[in-house]
Amino acid sequence: MIKFGTSGFRGIIGDNFTKENIQKIGYAISKYFEEENITSPSVVIGYDHRFMSDMFAKWLSETCASCGIKVYLYDHSVPSPVISYMTKIADLGLMITASHNPYYYNGMKIFQKPAKEVDDTFCARIEKWANESININIQTFDILKNEGKIEYISDISDYCENILKYVNLKATKNCNFKILYNAMNGNSTECLNYLLNKMGIKNFVGMNVNKDPYFREILPAPYKNNILDQVEKLQKEKFDFGVALDGDGDRITIIDSNGKILDGNFILPILYYYFVKFKNYKGGVVKNTALSNLVVKLTKLFDDNCYDAKVGFKNIGKILSTTDAFLGGETNGVAFKNHIYSKDGLVVTALLISLMAESGKTIDELLKELQLQTNFTSEVIEYAYPISASKKAEISNMLFVDKKVPTLSKQIINIVGEDEYKILFENDYWATIRFSGTENVVRIFAEQENLNACEKMILELENFIGVSTRQ
């Protein structure tokens, strides 16, 4: 059974992520083009560093090309944002990746013009066709390539140069930053090196740049516990800025000069501040409902808009494409609309370095400035908990059917949400329980006045829903 989640289709390799299912999705893509009456349809296909990703990309290419779709296939592994950007030359972008999931997973993300993730309606149509029986004659890769129906592409410079259009190169070339990046054994190294060299950053070091399909047997996700070695190196060797990207380059976490780890909760308001103060942008931001209220307070300060979106970047991208908002973000990623409408850790890296160079301030100094201007100081913590299907049903019934209310150490002002269970407290603090749309986990978030208060709140909510093992 092929089922799309929050961000594409994912599954365990050899279980439900198979050659047959990839071919079924390729067939479904052809049915989409047929129903939409798109003549001379085309797709651009990329893949990550996971086991057999290159083979899955070839099988997908064979199927699409056999169904009359022109295929542009990258001849080497590239980040997901590259495939999103390259919808400029194709009708759809198809990326073989399971993003930040464990190494034994693989998956597929789909992008459409203007460089955004496809929405639920699109996914439902693909699911319907993909789960039907197919009867097509799939030709071999070499024959299709020789006939020009599959064409190899390799260039990533156009994507990178589009990012550099929004960077203050004069400032970055005159700065003396020491940068530490962590590719987490994913495929961002080529683009990161390109960008940093073009920006004139002379002193930068890459960590975990080698291809490792096992990802050192940790999640290829820039979560706190996965980048503690990077924090240690940054502090010991006195780097000015650290950045960690996930396995396919769209998720990002940064480390300030003091070793403090910051995710989208703080990256989004910092970038918003940059564009409003230094670039005179207007239009506001889009965020999901499990993101810090710092950006809400900041947009109010500048008399700007802040739009709430459901979890999933497909929902953020949809609002970005229909409003004047120029940034979108969630905990694990940020999108800059002038570049692409989907999250991109590479553009965020370049923009943050540009901001530091232009402002003459470190990330930690900029964050303190925002907190002072908004009179709002907080910390945000998120944990994920692997659960069984029966446990998920139990928690879901407790929260959304029985609507049970926890006994907490803080007074509850309100409980809101349909797809999540969000608890509101005084002074704009909150906590949220929600299920992942891409893996069997439940997540607990808390924004409170400090880290101790966050940990205390999360422990109370762990006890409430009966989970304890953190991913």
Side-chain angles (χ1 to χ4, degrees):
M1 181 70 175
I2 295 170
K3 179 70 177 174
F4 281 71
T6 304
S7 183
F9 167 61
R10 297 182 196 176
I12 295 173
I13 301 170
D15 182 3
N16 63 331
F17 196 85
T18 61
K19 177 182 179 180
E20 180 184 9
N21 279 347
I22 275 296
Q23 290 174 329
K24 286 182 175 181
I25 294 175
Y27 165 77
I29 295 292
S30 72
K31 293 292 289 182
Y32 163 78
F33 286 134
E34 181 183 316
E35 194 169 90
E36 290 293 309
N37 295 315
I38 296 175
T39 57
S40 303
S42 61
V43 295
V44 59
I45 297 177
Y47 58 92
D48 67 7
H49 278 353
R50 290 172 180 271
F51 284 115
M52 298 181 67
S53 282
D54 56 343
M55 290 303 302
F56 283 115
K58 282 191 171 184
W59 292 329
L60 179 62
S61 298
E62 287 175 343
T63 308
C64 289
S66 296
C67 291
I69 303 169
K70 170 71 177 186
V71 174
Y72 299 96
L73 172 65
Y74 267 90
D75 63 4
H76 67 291
S77 176
V78 294
S80 289
V82 173
I83 300 303
S84 179
Y85 176 79
M86 291 303 288
T87 53
K88 63 181 288 185
I89 68 164
D91 296 298
L92 293 176
L94 313 178
M95 178 70 185
I96 302 295
T97 181
S99 189
H100 65 291
N101 288 156
Y103 71 87
Y104 47 86
Y105 275 76
N106 214 324
M108 181 175 165
K109 295 178 180 179
I110 306 179
F111 303 94
Q112 63 183 167
K113 299 179 186 297
K116 65 178 182 179
E117 289 189 32
V118 293
D119 61 21
D120 289 332
T121 301
F122 182 101
C123 292
R125 294 168 72 187
I126 297 300
E127 283 177 10
K128 175 182 177 295
W129 290 313
N131 287 305
E132 296 174 350
S133 59
I134 64 172
N135 183 22
I136 56 172
N137 178 29
I138 300 176
Q139 297 177 279
T140 63
F141 184 88
D142 287 340
I143 289 175
L144 292 163
K145 181 174 176 294
N146 290 337
E147 292 178 349
K149 295 176 181 178
I150 298 175
E151 180 181 334
Y152 272 128
I153 58 175
S154 61
D155 184 45
I156 52 90
S157 63
D158 186 38
Y159 161 82
C160 291
E161 290 295 331
N162 195 64
I163 291 174
L164 293 172
K165 289 193 302 187
Y166 305 100
V167 171
N168 187 327
L169 293 176
K170 182 178 180 181
T172 59
K173 287 177 180 178
N174 289 326
C175 73
N176 192 32
F177 294 145
K178 189 177 180 183
I179 309 293
L180 178 64
Y181 76 77
N182 186 349
M184 302 201 78
N185 307 106
N187 56 10
S188 298
T189 301
E190 179 187 15
C191 292
L192 283 169
N193 288 346
Y194 185 105
L195 291 168
L196 293 171
N197 280 317
K198 284 277 190 171
M199 292 167 67
I201 306 300
K202 300 177 180 62
N203 194 350
F204 66 88
V205 176
M207 291 178 62
N208 303 311
V209 298
N210 59 303
K211 178 180 177 180
D212 177 8
Y214 288 103
F215 302 107
R216 293 171 291 132
E217 298 188 5
I218 65 172
L219 289 177
Y223 298 150
K224 178 180 179 180
N225 290 339
N226 295 340
I227 60 172
L228 293 178
D229 57 340
Q230 184 182 4
V231 173
E232 182 180 357
K233 182 177 178 68
L234 180 141
Q235 291 179 304
K236 183 178 180 180
E237 300 180 25
K238 300 186 184 308
F239 285 88
D240 299 298
F241 177 69
V243 56
L245 303 182
D246 73 337
D248 67 323
D250 56 3
R251 291 177 171 233
I252 182 171
T253 297
I254 63 173
I255 309 169
D256 72 19
S257 58
N258 294 321
K260 182 177 176 62
I261 296 171
L262 301 168
D263 58 17
N265 286 288
F266 302 103
I267 294 171
L268 182 61
I270 290 169
L271 276 184
Y272 173 75
Y273 186 63
Y274 171 51
F275 280 106
V276 171
K277 184 167 182 177
F278 292 93
K279 307 295 183 184
N280 297 315
Y281 274 55
K282 194 78 173 176
V285 301
V286 186
K287 71 171 190 68
N288 74 17
T289 53
L291 203 77
S292 170
N293 277 325
L294 178 59
V295 74
V296 178
K297 292 180 175 292
L298 198 59
T299 53
K300 286 181 180 178
L301 188 67
F302 288 100
D303 192 28
D304 214 345
N305 300 310
C306 185
Y307 302 93
D308 273 341
K310 290 184 178 180
V311 173
F313 234 91
K314 58 190 174 186
N315 300 310
I316 291 173
K318 188 172 184 177
I319 298 176
L320 274 177
S321 66
T322 55
T323 67
D324 291 333
F326 56 88
L327 287 173
E330 55 186 18
T331 305
N332 53 52
V334 173
F336 174 46
K337 178 175 173 175
N338 286 16
H339 175 53
I340 60 176
Y341 292 73
S342 48
K343 59 180 179 282
D344 185 348
L346 294 148
V347 70
V348 172
T349 299
L351 291 174
L352 288 173
I353 294 170
S354 181
L355 166 57
M356 290 190 294
E358 196 166 348
S359 67
K361 296 178 181 178
T362 62
I363 291 296
D364 30 318
E365 289 171 339
L366 285 161
L367 180 57
K368 287 176 182 175
E369 187 173 320
L370 302 190
Q371 291 172 331
L372 184 63
Q373 288 194 29
T374 58
N375 193 30
F376 184 70
T377 302
S378 70
E379 296 286 353
V380 185
I381 293 181
E382 167 194 349
Y383 290 114
Y385 308 82
I387 54 173
S388 64
S390 59
K391 183 62 177 177
K392 179 178 179 179
E394 175 192 322
I395 297 172
S396 180
N397 188 70
M398 175 195 302
L399 301 182
F400 303 113
V401 179
D402 296 338
K403 300 185 184 298
K404 290 189 176 180
V405 177
T407 301
L408 303 174
S409 54
K410 280 191 171 182
Q411 181 182 356
I412 297 173
I413 302 299
N414 198 7
I415 297 176
V416 298
E418 296 178 359
D419 300 320
E420 63 179 349
Y421 187 89
K422 186 169 186 177
I423 307 166
L424 307 181
F425 305 101
E426 289 182 343
N427 302 318
D428 294 315
Y429 298 125
W430 54 270
T432 290
I433 303 169
R434 72 167 179 84
F435 299 107
S436 169
T438 58
E439 53 189 321
N440 292 324
V441 302
V442 62
R443 301 183 187 277
I444 302 178
F445 304 73
E447 179 168 37
Q448 303 291 314
E449 60 269 25
N450 55 51
L451 289 174
N452 287 337
C454 286
E455 291 286 3
K456 182 178 181 180
M457 180 58 62
I458 285 177
L459 183 59
E460 291 175 352
L461 292 175
E462 286 177 349
N463 293 332
F464 172 55
I465 62 173
V467 297
S468 59
T469 303
R470 296 172 178 174
Q471 196 176 61

